[in-house]
Amino acid sequence: MLVIVLYVIGITAEGMTGALAAGRERLDLFGVSLIACVTAIGGGTVRDLLLNNYPLTWVEHPIYLVFIVSAAMVAVSMSILMHHFHQVFLLLDALGLSVFVMLGTKAALELGHGVLIAVVSAVVTGIFGGVLRDILTDRIPLVFRSEMYASVAVFGALLYALLEGPLHASDGLSAAVAIVATFIFRLLVIYFQWSLPVFEYQERVYNRDARNRLTQFLQRRSLPLPRPSISPKERTTQGIVKAQQDRIARRRSMRERPLAESDEDHSQKVASTRRFLRVRPPGGPRKRKAEGNPASNPGNQPATNPGDHPATNPGEPREN
């Protein structure tokens, strides 16, 4: 009777964790109920299917489904407060794992299998509910990365098989010792954050052209693509010629830009720079003219700038 109570507590806690995982993926109530049931009784279902043990537990006792769905609805209605019960869920999860491992080992031994099959049955019962939950919610199963669920399950299965086999302990004592020892071992794993060594392999990265993939090759063979009117070489040549023409046109437009009234200051700066560099026209040196000032320049006309006269610009013909 105590084992049944602990089993109900375990599937209830697993159902609530499954409901919360479904809520992170924004599933509807049917999805929440399904993920909760898979998390709670998925491991035992896979075990019974592998061992050909019928009827299934939830088929023989449908009341378990009611407990799981009810726990999922409680998790949905109290989701805001669930983060306050994180430590409680860890304890209930460890308790559920201990009960699942003991039941999985006992089921395999009662069917006449050996210790190895009993250990596999315990591991499947204990971890496959979480594995199916993570697969359905599109995540890498947590037990494959950091949690020592499988190691704890192996420990509990070996201990129960040892008590039932060579030591010939009673069923109640074997179950109690296995559950308590597995529960304590799981709490130690959580507290000290024990984990198995992680294998990391970084393959060399190759930059492969997507057009060389097999699917693309088969698609090209079945549906030939229309050929362009010009070859890639011609397209490249035309692009280069077009870019050169654009650059030439841009430079020509900048060179032939008309001098506006607002550019008078710019032209004076250019003229003063030329005088500073002693730029001389190609006809030879000439006498420097004094620049006029506003007082000596009647009509407020700008003084003649040697650099602005057509005859003094280098590269332009002199007027006759």
Side-chain angles (χ1 to χ4, degrees):
M1 184 65 183
L2 179 60
V3 174
I4 296 178
V5 173
L6 296 178
Y7 177 75
V8 172
I9 294 175
I11 62 175
T12 302
E14 295 294 335
M16 298 182 75
T17 58
L20 295 177
R24 296 187 187 97
E25 302 299 327
R26 302 178 60 86
L27 302 184
D28 58 6
L29 293 181
F30 174 75
V32 170
S33 302
L34 180 62
I35 298 298
C37 293
V38 168
T39 307
I41 59 178
T45 301
V46 174
R47 175 205 65 206
D48 292 338
L49 293 176
L50 292 177
L51 298 179
N52 198 19
N53 185 21
Y54 297 101
L56 302 178
T57 303
W58 56 272
V59 175
E60 186 178 4
H61 304 284
I63 191 64
Y64 293 157
L65 297 177
V66 178
F67 291 152
I68 297 170
V69 175
S70 301
M73 294 301 104
V74 171
V76 171
S77 60
M78 300 177 60
S79 59
I80 302 177
L81 304 176
M82 284 298 140
H83 64 279
H84 296 292
F85 301 97
H86 179 68
Q87 303 296 333
V88 177
F89 275 110
L90 290 179
L91 295 176
L92 295 179
D93 180 74
L95 180 61
L97 176 63
S98 305
V99 176
F100 294 159
V101 168
M102 187 274 298
L103 292 177
T105 310
K106 182 179 180 180
L109 294 178
E110 288 179 350
L111 292 175
H113 297 287
V115 178
L116 180 60
I117 302 302
V119 171
V120 173
S121 175
V123 173
V124 170
T125 308
I127 72 172
F128 254 77
V131 171
L132 294 176
R133 174 201 62 201
D134 293 339
I135 292 176
L136 292 177
T137 54
D138 194 19
R139 295 187 302 175
I140 297 177
L142 185 62
V143 297
F144 296 162
R145 293 182 295 173
S146 59
E147 296 291 338
M148 289 183 61
Y149 261 73
S151 302
V152 174
V154 171
F155 169 78
L158 291 176
L159 180 59
Y160 184 82
L162 179 64
L163 294 173
E164 283 285 327
L167 299 181
H168 300 287
S170 61
D171 293 341
L173 180 61
S174 301
V177 173
I179 291 175
V180 173
T182 307
F183 178 73
I184 294 175
F185 185 30
R186 174 58 185 163
L187 293 183
L188 292 176
V189 168
I190 296 175
Y191 182 79
F192 292 104
Q193 297 181 356
W194 292 339
S195 62
L196 296 177
V198 177
F199 174 68
E200 183 178 2
Y201 174 67
Q202 298 293 337
E203 186 179 4
R204 183 179 177 183
V205 179
Y206 295 94
N207 295 325
R208 297 182 176 89
D209 191 357
R211 294 174 297 180
N212 296 331
R213 294 180 180 176
L214 179 60
T215 55
Q216 297 293 333
F217 173 75
L218 297 177
Q219 185 178 5
R220 289 196 301 268
R221 291 293 300 272
S222 59
L223 297 175
L225 298 176
R227 294 187 176 182
S229 57
I230 57 177
S231 62
K233 183 177 180 180
E234 293 176 352
R235 289 201 301 270
T236 305
T237 305
Q238 291 181 2
I240 294 175
V241 172
K242 183 64 169 58
Q244 291 179 353
Q245 292 177 353
D246 292 342
R247 285 198 296 269
I248 293 174
R250 192 161 51 249
R251 291 177 180 176
R252 185 176 301 172
S253 62
M254 293 177 62
R255 188 183 303 116
E256 296 178 355
R257 184 173 60 88
L259 186 63
E261 294 181 359
S262 59
D263 296 335
E264 183 177 356
D265 296 337
H266 177 70
S267 62
Q268 292 179 0
K269 292 180 181 179
V270 172
S272 61
T273 304
R274 289 178 177 175
R275 289 195 303 272
F276 178 76
L277 298 177
R278 299 182 180 276
V279 177
R280 294 295 182 265
R286 60 182 180 85
K287 296 181 179 180
R288 182 179 300 178
K289 296 182 180 181
E291 294 182 2
N293 49 26
S296 61
N297 190 6
N300 294 330
Q301 296 180 359
T304 304
N305 194 343
D308 295 337
H309 199 277
T312 60
N313 288 334
E316 294 184 3
R318 304 172 62 90
E319 294 182 1
N320 295 328

